[in-house]
Amino acid sequence: ETGVTQTPRHLVMGMTNKKSLKCEQHLGHNAMYWYKQSAKKPLELMFVYNFKEQTENNSVPSRFSPECPNSSHLFLHLHTLQPEDSALYLCASSQGTGREKLFFGSGTQLSVL
Amino acid sequence: LAKTTQPISMDSYEGQEVNITCSHNNIATNDYITWYQQFPSQGPRFIIQGYKTKVTNEVASLFIPADRKSSTLSLPRVSLSDTAVYYCLVGDENTGFQKLVFGTGTRLLVSP
């Protein structure tokens, strides 16, 4: 148990669906992150939030929309996804955005049909 | 920006010591070196972090030479459960989000 909880663990959606991924951290951290990990590929950093403010958007398509209502919760809203968006989506948190270690959740395995 | 290079894969047997080397020729003065471990279908887990010389914790040791252009993660007496992908990251707050970039990592397979 890392203190970072992601739901759902698995998600299957059609290309016209709208769904949301949820992440919650119980560590009192101030920074939260979304990563994408496709099969046989390295992790790709998508978004960074620090004190609820988005500080990084790594050229992510607009069909992925993050939301950070407070420092403990992070959402990733999905709409009109493509099959190539199928991947493991990982949420992480850290105390700050310096050299503090990242704590990852177990991820949401997303399949887009 | 510092970039890391690691072997794609390594094989070992139970009880052996495993050393995984990471090359980071362009490491900046303020950069730290961090290693993570990832099991299939799970998020990476922090293993160890260092700046120079040697760092040791209950899981591993990290060796960093004086020029800091490389680092070596040492796993003593590995077991089957150490089979995972190991990532080396280099950076500091000054390098922005690049410090959070995971490369391809090293896939370690431990056999009986």
Short mmCIF file of all heavy atoms in Angstrom, two decimals, chain B residues 74-108:
data_model
loop_
_atom_site.label_atom_id
_atom_site.label_comp_id
_atom_site.label_asym_id
_atom_site.label_seq_id
_atom_site.Cartn_x
_atom_site.Cartn_y
_atom_site.Cartn_z
N SER B 74 23.20 -1.52 -6.83
CA SER B 74 23.62 -2.85 -6.43
C SER B 74 22.54 -3.50 -5.58
O SER B 74 22.14 -2.95 -4.55
CB SER B 74 24.94 -2.78 -5.66
OG SER B 74 25.37 -4.07 -5.29
N LEU B 75 22.09 -4.66 -6.03
CA LEU B 75 21.09 -5.44 -5.29
C LEU B 75 21.78 -6.68 -4.74
O LEU B 75 22.19 -7.55 -5.50
CB LEU B 75 19.94 -5.84 -6.22
CG LEU B 75 19.24 -4.72 -6.96
CD1 LEU B 75 18.26 -5.29 -7.99
CD2 LEU B 75 18.53 -3.81 -5.99
N PRO B 76 21.92 -6.77 -3.43
CA PRO B 76 22.63 -7.91 -2.85
C PRO B 76 21.74 -9.15 -2.78
O PRO B 76 20.57 -9.05 -2.41
CB PRO B 76 22.98 -7.42 -1.44
CG PRO B 76 21.91 -6.43 -1.13
CD PRO B 76 21.50 -5.80 -2.41
N ARG B 77 22.27 -10.29 -3.16
CA ARG B 77 21.59 -11.56 -2.98
C ARG B 77 20.14 -11.49 -3.48
O ARG B 77 19.19 -11.55 -2.69
CB ARG B 77 21.64 -11.98 -1.52
CG ARG B 77 23.05 -12.11 -0.98
CD ARG B 77 23.03 -12.38 0.52
NE ARG B 77 22.35 -13.64 0.83
CZ ARG B 77 22.90 -14.84 0.79
NH1 ARG B 77 24.19 -14.95 0.44
NH2 ARG B 77 22.22 -15.92 1.09
N VAL B 78 19.97 -11.36 -4.78
CA VAL B 78 18.62 -11.20 -5.33
C VAL B 78 17.81 -12.48 -5.16
O VAL B 78 18.33 -13.59 -5.07
CB VAL B 78 18.67 -10.80 -6.82
CG1 VAL B 78 19.28 -9.43 -6.98
CG2 VAL B 78 19.41 -11.84 -7.65
N SER B 79 16.49 -12.29 -5.15
CA SER B 79 15.55 -13.40 -5.10
C SER B 79 14.63 -13.31 -6.31
O SER B 79 14.68 -12.32 -7.06
CB SER B 79 14.73 -13.37 -3.81
OG SER B 79 13.95 -12.19 -3.78
N LEU B 80 13.79 -14.31 -6.48
CA LEU B 80 12.87 -14.31 -7.64
C LEU B 80 11.99 -13.07 -7.64
O LEU B 80 11.62 -12.55 -8.70
CB LEU B 80 12.01 -15.57 -7.61
CG LEU B 80 12.74 -16.90 -7.75
CD1 LEU B 80 11.73 -18.05 -7.65
CD2 LEU B 80 13.52 -16.98 -9.05
N SER B 81 11.65 -12.59 -6.46
CA SER B 81 10.76 -11.43 -6.36
C SER B 81 11.43 -10.12 -6.77
O SER B 81 10.76 -9.09 -6.83
CB SER B 81 10.24 -11.31 -4.92
OG SER B 81 11.31 -11.10 -4.03
N ASP B 82 12.70 -10.16 -7.04
CA ASP B 82 13.41 -8.96 -7.53
C ASP B 82 13.29 -8.83 -9.04
O ASP B 82 13.77 -7.83 -9.61
CB ASP B 82 14.88 -9.00 -7.12
CG ASP B 82 15.07 -8.83 -5.63
OD1 ASP B 82 14.39 -7.96 -5.04
OD2 ASP B 82 15.89 -9.58 -5.04
N THR B 83 12.66 -9.79 -9.69
CA THR B 83 12.41 -9.68 -11.13
C THR B 83 11.48 -8.51 -11.37
O THR B 83 10.34 -8.48 -10.89
CB THR B 83 11.77 -10.98 -11.67
OG1 THR B 83 12.72 -12.04 -11.58
CG2 THR B 83 11.33 -10.80 -13.12
N ALA B 84 11.95 -7.53 -12.12
CA ALA B 84 11.23 -6.27 -12.30
C ALA B 84 11.98 -5.41 -13.30
O ALA B 84 13.05 -5.79 -13.79
CB ALA B 84 11.08 -5.53 -10.97
N VAL B 85 11.43 -4.25 -13.58
CA VAL B 85 12.13 -3.25 -14.38
C VAL B 85 12.67 -2.18 -13.45
O VAL B 85 11.96 -1.71 -12.55
CB VAL B 85 11.20 -2.61 -15.44
CG1 VAL B 85 11.95 -1.56 -16.24
CG2 VAL B 85 10.64 -3.68 -16.37
N TYR B 86 13.92 -1.80 -13.65
CA TYR B 86 14.59 -0.82 -12.80
C TYR B 86 14.90 0.42 -13.63
O TYR B 86 15.51 0.35 -14.69
CB TYR B 86 15.86 -1.43 -12.21
CG TYR B 86 15.55 -2.53 -11.23
CD1 TYR B 86 15.28 -3.83 -11.68
CD2 TYR B 86 15.47 -2.28 -9.86
CE1 TYR B 86 14.95 -4.84 -10.78
CE2 TYR B 86 15.15 -3.28 -8.97
CZ TYR B 86 14.89 -4.55 -9.45
OH TYR B 86 14.55 -5.55 -8.55
N TYR B 87 14.48 1.57 -13.10
CA TYR B 87 14.65 2.83 -13.80
C TYR B 87 15.61 3.75 -13.05
O TYR B 87 15.54 3.87 -11.83
CB TYR B 87 13.32 3.57 -13.91
CG TYR B 87 12.24 2.86 -14.70
CD1 TYR B 87 11.29 2.09 -14.05
CD2 TYR B 87 12.17 3.01 -16.07
CE1 TYR B 87 10.29 1.45 -14.76
CE2 TYR B 87 11.17 2.38 -16.80
CZ TYR B 87 10.23 1.61 -16.14
OH TYR B 87 9.24 0.98 -16.85
N CYS B 88 16.45 4.42 -13.81
CA CYS B 88 17.36 5.42 -13.29
C CYS B 88 16.88 6.79 -13.77
O CYS B 88 16.64 6.98 -14.96
CB CYS B 88 18.77 5.12 -13.82
SG CYS B 88 19.97 6.45 -13.67
N LEU B 89 16.70 7.72 -12.84
CA LEU B 89 16.27 9.07 -13.19
C LEU B 89 17.29 10.07 -12.64
O LEU B 89 17.85 9.87 -11.56
CB LEU B 89 14.91 9.40 -12.57
CG LEU B 89 13.66 8.89 -13.28
CD1 LEU B 89 13.51 7.39 -13.10
CD2 LEU B 89 12.43 9.61 -12.76
N VAL B 90 17.49 11.14 -13.39
CA VAL B 90 18.43 12.17 -12.98
C VAL B 90 17.74 13.52 -13.08
O VAL B 90 17.11 13.82 -14.08
CB VAL B 90 19.68 12.16 -13.88
CG1 VAL B 90 20.57 13.35 -13.57
CG2 VAL B 90 20.44 10.87 -13.69
N GLY B 91 17.85 14.32 -12.05
CA GLY B 91 17.28 15.65 -12.12
C GLY B 91 17.12 16.31 -10.78
O GLY B 91 17.41 15.73 -9.73
N ASP B 92 16.66 17.52 -10.86
CA ASP B 92 16.44 18.35 -9.68
C ASP B 92 15.33 19.33 -10.05
O ASP B 92 14.92 19.38 -11.21
CB ASP B 92 17.73 19.07 -9.31
CG ASP B 92 17.62 19.84 -8.01
OD1 ASP B 92 17.62 19.19 -6.96
OD2 ASP B 92 17.49 21.08 -8.07
N GLU B 93 14.88 20.13 -9.09
CA GLU B 93 13.80 21.08 -9.41
C GLU B 93 14.18 22.04 -10.53
O GLU B 93 13.32 22.54 -11.23
CB GLU B 93 13.39 21.88 -8.16
CG GLU B 93 14.52 22.61 -7.47
CD GLU B 93 15.07 21.82 -6.30
OE1 GLU B 93 14.91 20.59 -6.29
OE2 GLU B 93 15.66 22.44 -5.42
N ASN B 94 15.47 22.26 -10.73
CA ASN B 94 15.89 23.18 -11.77
C ASN B 94 15.72 22.62 -13.17
O ASN B 94 15.72 23.36 -14.16
CB ASN B 94 17.36 23.58 -11.57
CG ASN B 94 17.55 24.37 -10.29
OD1 ASN B 94 16.72 25.22 -9.96
ND2 ASN B 94 18.61 24.09 -9.57
N THR B 95 15.60 21.30 -13.27
CA THR B 95 15.45 20.68 -14.59
C THR B 95 13.99 20.53 -14.98
O THR B 95 13.67 19.94 -16.00
CB THR B 95 16.13 19.30 -14.64
OG1 THR B 95 15.69 18.52 -13.53
CG2 THR B 95 17.62 19.44 -14.61
N GLY B 96 13.10 21.04 -14.16
CA GLY B 96 11.70 21.02 -14.53
C GLY B 96 11.16 19.60 -14.63
O GLY B 96 11.60 18.71 -13.93
N PHE B 97 10.21 19.41 -15.53
CA PHE B 97 9.56 18.11 -15.56
C PHE B 97 10.47 17.03 -16.12
O PHE B 97 10.17 15.85 -16.01
CB PHE B 97 8.27 18.19 -16.36
CG PHE B 97 8.44 18.20 -17.86
CD1 PHE B 97 8.51 17.01 -18.58
CD2 PHE B 97 8.53 19.39 -18.54
CE1 PHE B 97 8.65 17.04 -19.96
CE2 PHE B 97 8.69 19.42 -19.92
CZ PHE B 97 8.75 18.24 -20.61
N GLN B 98 11.58 17.39 -16.72
CA GLN B 98 12.48 16.37 -17.26
C GLN B 98 13.00 15.44 -16.17
O GLN B 98 13.38 14.31 -16.43
CB GLN B 98 13.66 17.04 -17.97
CG GLN B 98 13.27 17.70 -19.28
CD GLN B 98 12.78 16.71 -20.31
OE1 GLN B 98 13.21 15.56 -20.35
NE2 GLN B 98 11.85 17.14 -21.14
N LYS B 99 13.04 15.95 -14.94
CA LYS B 99 13.52 15.09 -13.86
C LYS B 99 12.57 13.95 -13.59
O LYS B 99 12.89 13.01 -12.90
CB LYS B 99 13.68 15.91 -12.58
CG LYS B 99 12.35 16.43 -12.02
CD LYS B 99 12.58 17.24 -10.77
CE LYS B 99 11.28 17.77 -10.21
NZ LYS B 99 10.70 18.80 -11.09
N LEU B 100 11.36 14.07 -14.14
CA LEU B 100 10.35 13.05 -13.91
C LEU B 100 10.21 12.10 -15.09
O LEU B 100 9.25 11.36 -15.17
CB LEU B 100 9.00 13.74 -13.65
CG LEU B 100 9.00 14.78 -12.53
CD1 LEU B 100 7.70 15.55 -12.55
CD2 LEU B 100 9.20 14.09 -11.19
N VAL B 101 11.16 12.15 -16.01
CA VAL B 101 11.09 11.33 -17.20
C VAL B 101 11.73 9.98 -16.95
O VAL B 101 12.91 9.90 -16.61
CB VAL B 101 11.76 12.03 -18.39
CG1 VAL B 101 11.81 11.10 -19.60
CG2 VAL B 101 11.02 13.31 -18.74
N PHE B 102 10.96 8.93 -17.13
CA PHE B 102 11.46 7.56 -17.01
C PHE B 102 11.89 7.08 -18.39
O PHE B 102 11.17 7.23 -19.35
CB PHE B 102 10.36 6.63 -16.48
CG PHE B 102 10.03 6.83 -15.03
CD1 PHE B 102 9.33 7.94 -14.61
CD2 PHE B 102 10.40 5.88 -14.08
CE1 PHE B 102 9.01 8.12 -13.27
CE2 PHE B 102 10.08 6.04 -12.75
CZ PHE B 102 9.39 7.16 -12.34
N GLY B 103 13.05 6.49 -18.48
CA GLY B 103 13.50 5.91 -19.73
C GLY B 103 12.93 4.52 -19.91
O GLY B 103 11.89 4.19 -19.34
N THR B 104 13.61 3.71 -20.70
CA THR B 104 13.14 2.35 -20.96
C THR B 104 13.44 1.41 -19.81
O THR B 104 12.84 0.36 -19.69
CB THR B 104 13.77 1.79 -22.24
OG1 THR B 104 15.18 1.89 -22.13
CG2 THR B 104 13.30 2.57 -23.46
N GLY B 105 14.36 1.80 -18.94
CA GLY B 105 14.68 0.98 -17.79
C GLY B 105 15.46 -0.28 -18.14
O GLY B 105 15.74 -0.57 -19.31
N THR B 106 15.82 -1.03 -17.11
CA THR B 106 16.51 -2.31 -17.26
C THR B 106 15.61 -3.42 -16.74
O THR B 106 15.21 -3.39 -15.57
CB THR B 106 17.83 -2.33 -16.48
OG1 THR B 106 18.71 -1.33 -16.99
CG2 THR B 106 18.50 -3.70 -16.57
N ARG B 107 15.31 -4.36 -17.60
CA ARG B 107 14.45 -5.48 -17.21
C ARG B 107 15.33 -6.58 -16.62
O ARG B 107 16.12 -7.20 -17.32
CB ARG B 107 13.68 -6.01 -18.42
CG ARG B 107 12.59 -7.01 -18.10
CD ARG B 107 11.77 -7.32 -19.36
NE ARG B 107 11.10 -6.11 -19.85
CZ ARG B 107 9.92 -5.69 -19.44
NH1 ARG B 107 9.26 -6.36 -18.50
NH2 ARG B 107 9.37 -4.60 -19.95
N LEU B 108 15.20 -6.80 -15.32
CA LEU B 108 15.98 -7.82 -14.62
C LEU B 108 15.16 -9.09 -14.46
O LEU B 108 14.04 -9.05 -13.95
CB LEU B 108 16.42 -7.32 -13.24
CG LEU B 108 17.10 -8.34 -12.33
CD1 LEU B 108 18.44 -8.77 -12.92
CD2 LEU B 108 17.28 -7.79 -10.92
#
